[in-house]
Amino acid sequence: MTVFHDLLQVQEHDTAVDRLRHRRDHLPELAELRATEDELSRLEATLTDVEATALEASRTQRKLEGELSLLESKLTELDAKLYSGVVSAARELQAMQHEAATMRERRAALEDEVLEAMGEHETIDEQLAGLRARRDELDARGGALRAAVAEAQAEVDRELAVESAARAEAATAIPADVASLYEQLRAHLGGVAAAPLVNGRCGGCHLALPATEIDRMRKEPADALVRCEQCERILVRP
Ligand SMILES: [Zn+2]
């Protein structure tokens, strides 16, 4: 056993840690949670717009109802005056009758407008109810997903702690210069810096090494650092 065999152990733990971190960042529940949160934030924006529209529709309805009520009391007043016998001049009576007819026309039109406004208001309220129900669904879904994510991450974290401790133990005997080269290579070679030499093949790039190269490595002392000439990784001889 050489420090390079320790290094291979370190590599195995580092690979496991990388895989666990990747799993932690790419949990299916996490992707679903993000999608749910995206939909929720789009829905909140729509809801704000529709709530503003509902408020406007409600104002319009109240304004029209106010106008209608005012018109009705004016009309009642005018009718009372017309039939009270107080006004007897034909010309004046005719003018009043004409005014009352105009007011009745206006009243009919206003009644239609009020009905239309009520219909619009109702449609918007239904839309609001639908949006709020969907928001509640998404809120509940988000809560459940957050709990699932936390649980899955906690499990990964437990595995990470085990791997990290094992890695630290395996790394105790590795000299600083080897460790530093290892980290440098790991950063540039997709996380794999040390690989076993198996049946004349580099375990990192999987290419067969030339016979002369194998021969040269065999002659190197066991504690010498050898590297794959193709991928530059540290090769660990059996
Ligand atoms: Zn290689």
Side-chain angles (χ1 to χ4, degrees):
M1 287 288 281
T2 63
V3 291
F4 301 111
H5 291 94
D6 287 347
L7 192 65
L8 212 49
Q9 295 259 295
V10 169
Q11 176 68 73
E12 276 169 23
H13 292 306
D14 277 343
T15 302
V17 164
D18 289 346
R19 212 174 41 234
L20 285 167
R21 286 201 179 123
H22 184 270
R23 196 204 294 172
R24 197 184 194 284
D25 293 342
H26 296 84
L27 291 168
E29 296 94 334
L30 199 58
E32 218 182 315
L33 176 61
R34 280 180 191 140
T36 303
E37 283 171 344
D38 281 353
E39 189 185 341
L40 189 59
S41 90
R42 281 195 302 274
L43 186 132
E44 296 278 12
T46 308
L47 196 55
T48 305
D49 287 348
V50 178
E51 274 166 350
T53 310
L55 199 65
E56 191 54 41
S58 163
R59 274 197 204 111
T60 304
Q61 190 188 329
R62 273 204 310 279
K63 181 175 160 278
L64 289 169
E65 282 167 348
E67 277 176 43
L68 183 59
S69 142
L70 188 68
L71 187 68
E72 268 164 356
S73 55
K74 275 186 186 164
L75 195 54
T76 309
E77 223 173 279
L78 188 61
D79 279 341
K81 204 169 164 191
L82 255 174
Y83 301 112
S84 66
V86 177
V87 181
S88 54
R91 226 187 145 91
E92 204 180 332
L93 275 172
Q94 208 180 2
M96 280 167 73
Q97 270 158 355
H98 180 73
E99 196 188 346
T102 307
M103 280 165 86
R104 281 195 178 84
E105 271 171 38
R106 176 69 191 132
R107 182 177 63 183
L110 261 178
E111 278 167 351
D112 285 347
E113 282 178 55
V114 167
L115 280 178
E116 200 183 319
M118 280 168 78
E120 267 174 44
H121 197 180
E122 203 175 311
T123 306
I124 295 166
D125 277 348
E126 276 165 21
Q127 201 186 344
L128 270 181
L131 286 168
R132 286 179 181 138
R134 181 68 184 144
R135 180 185 58 189
D136 292 348
E137 260 174 44
L138 289 172
D139 268 340
R141 176 142 198 74
L145 283 168
R146 264 186 290 278
V149 166
E151 197 182 317
Q153 283 182 339
E155 198 186 318
V156 174
D157 286 345
R158 279 193 290 277
E159 290 180 50
L160 271 171
V162 171
E163 286 296 342
S164 298
R167 192 239 189 246
E169 207 186 318
T172 47
I174 294 167
D177 57 337
V178 175
S180 152
L181 174 66
Y182 168 82
E183 291 302 343
Q184 235 175 298
L185 290 173
R186 231 170 86 71
H188 293 110
L189 295 168
V192 180
L197 178 66
V198 182
N199 299 329
R201 275 178 192 277
C202 163
C205 63
H206 305 291
L207 291 174
L209 273 74
T212 50
E213 187 63 12
I214 306 266
D215 213 41
R216 187 186 65 76
M217 282 178 187
R218 231 176 247 141
K219 287 172 189 154
E220 291 276 354
D223 60 352
L225 188 143
V226 294
R227 291 169 67 176
C228 170
E229 64 174 9
Q230 285 150 137
C231 70
E232 299 191 320
R233 290 186 173 92
I234 299 166
L235 276 177
V236 183
R237 290 165 287 170

